[in-house]
Amino acid sequence: MKKRVLLETLSLPLLSFLLLLPLLGYGFLSDDFPLIVANPRLQSWSLFFQNLLTPFFSFPANPQLHYWRPTTLLSYALELRLWGVSPWGFHLTNILLHTANTLLLYLLLKRFRPEGALPWTASLLFLLHPAHGENIAWISGRTDLLAFLFLALSLLFRLEYEERKRGLPLSLLFFALALLSKEAALLFLPLLFLLFPSKGLKNRLLLLLPYLSLLPLYLFLHQKAASTLALNRGLLWADIPLALRSAGAYVRILLFPNLPAPYFPMGELTVHPLLYTLSGLCGISLILLIIRFRREFPLTFPGLSLLLFLLPSLLPRFLPTWPPIAPRFAYLASPLAALFFTELALWAFKRGLRIPAFLLLLFLIFSWGTLLRLHLPFFRDDDTYIRTMSLRYPEEESFLFQLSFKEAQRGDLRKALLLVDKGLALSPSSPWVDYSRKGRTLRANILILLGREAEGEQEVERLLRANPSPEEGYSLHLLRAILLERRGNGEGALEELTLAGRLGKTPELLLRTARLQVRLGRREEALRSLEEALNLGLDPKIAERERVEIQNRRESERE
């Protein structure tokens, strides 16, 4: 018995590393740049702790997302000290986290089912689930990996407390760390309530009290850091069919994850509403069947509580996430799919259907492992991801805007303009996020760079009249400043930079302000702007270079 447990325990990490080792050659991607590579808050520990109560994404990125995830940012800060701005180390951490989560799931299942092949088989299916590609291969997908790790540890120590009356403080600590990794960890509480049905209502409520005691402080800090109360909390009857279709999408992602790419195109819900409504209804029917035959599915039945982790992405207008539906959001709920198929095969095996049961598991292990390996290369680097996705999903305006931005960075402004215009023509009226404003801001920027300043200015003025958010207003005032500076109106440009700074200050804005102040002869003001930029995380080498330049100008004028 001990030898078998040892073999099972060693085989899971071995298979994980054999499968995921190619990720060590992958680069940074998308949100990795603002969160890790160019995140001023990670430059020093003093800046990190000064900005502890700030949103997950630094201003002005992703204003619609009210995230506060200091544990995730802390993991990035620690790694920057370990291996610098080198992506292989961050990818190694993601591999280790997913491997640890697989082992923790195995240990948890061993608690409930010490004998038999179920714990190892279900853990293997969890390891190979194709929906996990984004969580593992994309460094910024780590939030779910960390939340799973801490919640699994919290549950393990809670079970230890139930059996031996020890480990409760550690359970609470890991629950707190999970909350600080991802907001969805809050839904661990109803899950904990449902996991102990034999305790009775009163005892289950008492079981939750220590965890509930942490919530007032967490909610207060979250509101202070990320303005949680600014969420659109209105829930309309029209959201219910949308939630049903979203549930249908997750039925596909969890149980039939044969997606051609590690991405769910939101247009699918509009193009095929009946298909996803029926999928949602099938999912509800399957839940009812599991409840009806719960004796045949003794672990899948309590595992249904894992579906709670999908609630935020079923009602994205009520609880905004981005993208609204994504395979990576299924990470916390995916053990349910592994448990269901494993117990289904065991049920068939007990009824003499040994060959079909064996073939089902063999098919799942092979197909899921193959799909996961096929999905991983999409995340090789930023260029690969955007180009591959824009080719595979040519009707997705978000990828066209990203591709347009890449072309503009390379200097092909005409191609960038064609792509952004195509994206704006496709941009639908979305119940989630209106991408057209971001696209129009990008278009105005490209027009200005092309020398079509009058058109660019008209676009900027139109967007400023449309009640922009502080983040949008910041970008628009910055564009106005560029226009005015090009026309030789330094004072007007400085005024626009000041207006942008009132909406939110960034090291880049203050550096631009300092350079303009130098040209206008305001050197003392420029030095103060540089000092402020340095306090916000500007690279000290850049700040020193600018100071030297100001000093050289002073000396040359004296001569």
Side-chain angles (χ1 to χ4, degrees), residues 142-174:
R142 182 181 298 177
T143 52
D144 296 271
L145 300 177
L146 286 171
F148 189 104
L149 177 81
F150 293 130
L151 290 178
L153 286 167
S154 181
L155 181 56
L156 268 174
F157 281 104
R158 180 71 216 196
L159 292 170
E160 183 72 15
Y161 178 75
E162 293 299 315
E163 291 175 10
R164 298 181 178 88
K165 298 301 175 186
R166 65 186 186 192
L168 183 58
L170 284 172
S171 179
L172 293 170
L173 171 65
F174 287 123

Side-chain angles (χ1 to χ4, degrees), residues 84-305:
V85 190
S86 179
W88 75 268
F90 292 88
H91 285 296
L92 176 62
T93 303
N94 275 22
I95 294 170
L96 291 171
L97 284 170
H98 184 54
T99 306
N101 289 342
T102 303
L103 286 171
L104 284 169
L105 178 62
Y106 173 75
L107 293 174
L108 281 167
L109 294 177
K110 270 289 183 186
R111 289 262 186 163
F112 295 104
R113 186 71 65 85
E115 306 292 332
L118 184 143
W120 186 84
T121 309
S123 300
L124 178 62
L125 288 176
F126 170 78
L127 174 71
L128 300 174
H129 201 293
H132 297 164
E134 196 172 15
N135 302 96
I136 310 162
W138 184 30
I139 299 164
S140 297
R142 182 181 298 177
T143 52
D144 296 271
L145 300 177
L146 286 171
F148 189 104
L149 177 81
F150 293 130
L151 290 178
L153 286 167
S154 181
L155 181 56
L156 268 174
F157 281 104
R158 180 71 216 196
L159 292 170
E160 183 72 15
Y161 178 75
E162 293 299 315
E163 291 175 10
R164 298 181 178 88
K165 298 301 175 186
R166 65 186 186 192
L168 183 58
L170 284 172
S171 179
L172 293 170
L173 171 65
F174 287 123
F175 173 60
L177 289 171
L179 285 175
L180 299 176
S181 301
K182 187 169 184 176
E183 292 76 5
L186 271 170
L187 296 165
F188 177 69
L189 296 183
L191 183 151
L192 202 59
F193 179 83
L194 294 169
L195 276 179
F196 295 95
S198 60
K199 276 183 163 292
L201 179 61
K202 183 180 177 181
N203 286 331
R204 282 192 283 170
L205 289 172
L206 288 172
L207 179 150
L208 292 181
L209 275 180
Y211 301 89
L212 289 170
S213 67
L214 300 175
L215 293 190
L217 178 61
Y218 169 74
L219 294 173
F220 171 76
L221 293 174
H222 200 289
Q223 159 61 19
K224 190 171 178 62
S227 304
T228 318
L229 296 177
L231 291 173
N232 183 355
R233 291 164 293 162
L235 187 61
L236 304 175
W237 285 108
D239 292 328
I240 294 172
L242 178 61
L244 190 59
R245 292 201 297 264
S246 300
Y250 280 109
V251 168
R252 182 183 177 188
I253 288 167
L254 280 171
L255 300 181
F256 311 104
N258 58 330
L259 297 169
Y263 178 78
F264 184 84
M266 296 309 302
E268 285 275 298
L269 297 186
T270 308
V271 176
H272 305 292
L274 182 60
L275 173 65
Y276 285 98
T277 301
L278 290 173
S279 296
L281 292 171
C282 286
I284 293 169
S285 303
L286 185 59
I287 290 168
L288 294 173
L289 281 171
I290 292 167
I291 294 169
R292 170 69 179 80
F293 297 102
R294 53 187 174 274
R295 289 184 180 177
E296 307 295 336
F297 297 91
L299 290 179
T300 306
F301 171 61
L304 290 173
S305 54

